[in-house]
Structures are given as structure tokens and as C-alpha cells.
Amino acid sequence: MVAMTPQDITKLIVRTSMRDRSAFDQLYRQTSSKLFGVCLRVLNNRAEAEEALQEVYVKIWTKADRFAVTDLSPISWLVAIARNHAIDRIRARRQPTTDIDAAYDIADPSPDPEASAIAGAEGERIHHCLEELEQDRAAAVRGAYLTGESYAELAERHGVPLNTMRTWLRRSLLKLRECLER
């Protein structure tokens, strides 16, 4: 599968808003693994995450016309839909509280619009910096810090000793920091 640019994904969302089924199919093929990962991380149950993913794509189909083309990453918009839907599923299975006033002082853990914009821009910078790393090093960094794989799992997957994997990650993080400081 060819990696798509944010602009490509934006075009697919816009075409989906016009009820283009082939664009929607392509959008699903390009983004479903990432959105499934989001659902699985939040729900912590594979079967429930699979069901939630299907519901997420129904929402994307019906809400694609609400997508605003901006400089922010379109994948962030898709991830927000998946994350919010998964959280809604968790909330729906909880017992309702009796005292709604007790929830008044609870802070919303989600970022505000400004923080979302900054995070989107930072995400693009990080993605760009990851592309500067060797392919296996970038894959190891993504595995360790985005999908939560252990050093031992990464060492086994890449066929290197555990201490080599630790060195790869440490040096890669230093290179990423240098890139981000430019």
C-alpha cells in the first residue's frame, strides 16, 4: 500500500462528502489500521474495537461534509472521530451517576482547539523528522513510542540483540530531538 500524503487523505474525505463510494473505500483502506489502533487502545477489547471501527466509518461517511480543509492533518480529524466514538462507547456501558453536580468540577482531558492545532503542527514536524531516520530505526521508534511495543519485542522483530535495540532507540531519539530543534 502506497503511503498517502495528508493532501491525498483530504481529497478522499472531500470526495467522500460528495458520496463517492470509491473514495470512501480507498479512505477506509488507507486509514482503517490506524483508526482500529485508536479504538483498540481506548477500548482494550479487540471485538469491541472492530465493531466500533465500523461505526466510526459510518460516522465518517455521514459527517465527511463537516470536514474543514485546513493546514491541520486530516488524519487528526479521523483519529478524533474514532477516539471520541470509543470513549462514548465506554461511557455508555458505565452505570449512570446519581449526582450530576459532582461532575461539574471535572476537567475535560481533551486538548482545547489551540492545543489541537499545535499538536497537529508538531505531529507533522515529528513525522517529517522520522522520515530522516533509517527505515528500520524509524519503524523501531514508532513501535516503541506509538504502539507500545517492548524493547524485547522490537529486538525480536528486527532480528537484533536487545542492547542493540536500546542503542537504536536512544540514538534515534537524539536525532529526532536535533531535527525538531532546527
Side-chain angles (χ1 to χ4, degrees):
M1 189 176 323
V2 178
M4 297 191 86
T5 66
Q7 293 80 15
D8 294 333
I9 294 173
T10 295
K11 288 175 186 172
L12 290 176
I13 294 171
V14 170
R15 286 177 46 207
T16 296
S17 73
M18 294 182 273
R19 301 299 183 238
D20 181 336
R21 290 183 185 275
S22 67
F24 182 67
D25 179 57
Q26 193 174 1
L27 181 68
Y28 179 86
R29 283 187 277 117
Q30 292 292 331
T31 61
S32 61
S33 61
K34 180 168 188 70
L35 300 189
F36 175 72
V38 171
C39 292
L40 185 59
R41 191 174 304 134
V42 173
L43 296 169
N44 206 22
N45 177 302
R46 185 170 194 84
E48 193 172 3
E50 289 170 355
E51 188 176 314
L53 181 67
Q54 298 309 311
E55 294 167 354
V56 164
Y57 277 95
V58 168
K59 283 186 177 186
I60 291 169
W61 176 257
T62 59
K63 294 182 178 187
D65 60 335
R66 297 183 192 165
F67 175 70
V69 178
T70 65
D71 290 336
L72 296 179
S73 169
I75 199 74
S76 298
W77 183 75
L78 297 170
V79 165
I81 291 173
R83 179 182 170 275
N84 292 342
H85 181 73
I87 290 170
D88 288 345
R89 286 181 69 99
I90 289 172
R91 288 179 181 147
R93 67 183 178 209
R94 288 186 186 154
Q95 296 296 326
T97 59
T98 55
D99 186 12
I100 193 71
D101 291 332
Y104 180 75
D105 293 326
I106 297 175
D108 182 4
S110 61
D112 60 22
E114 179 183 13
S116 294
I118 291 169
E122 286 299 308
E124 289 296 319
R125 288 182 59 218
I126 291 169
H127 179 71
H128 171 74
C129 290
L130 278 169
E131 289 176 348
E132 291 183 10
L133 297 175
E134 294 175 38
Q135 190 173 5
D136 53 355
R137 303 319 195 259
V141 169
R142 285 184 179 99
Y145 301 105
L146 298 180
T147 60
E149 293 178 73
S150 70
Y151 289 1
E153 291 169 329
L154 290 167
E156 183 177 325
R157 181 162 51 108
H158 290 278
V160 297
L162 181 60
N163 285 336
T164 300
M165 180 52 61
R166 288 186 176 125
T167 302
W168 278 15
L169 292 170
R170 184 174 54 252
R171 288 180 180 165
S172 295
L173 289 177
L174 290 172
K175 287 181 181 180
L176 285 174
R177 185 173 63 192
E178 288 173 13
C179 176
L180 290 170
E181 289 175 351
R182 281 190 239 139

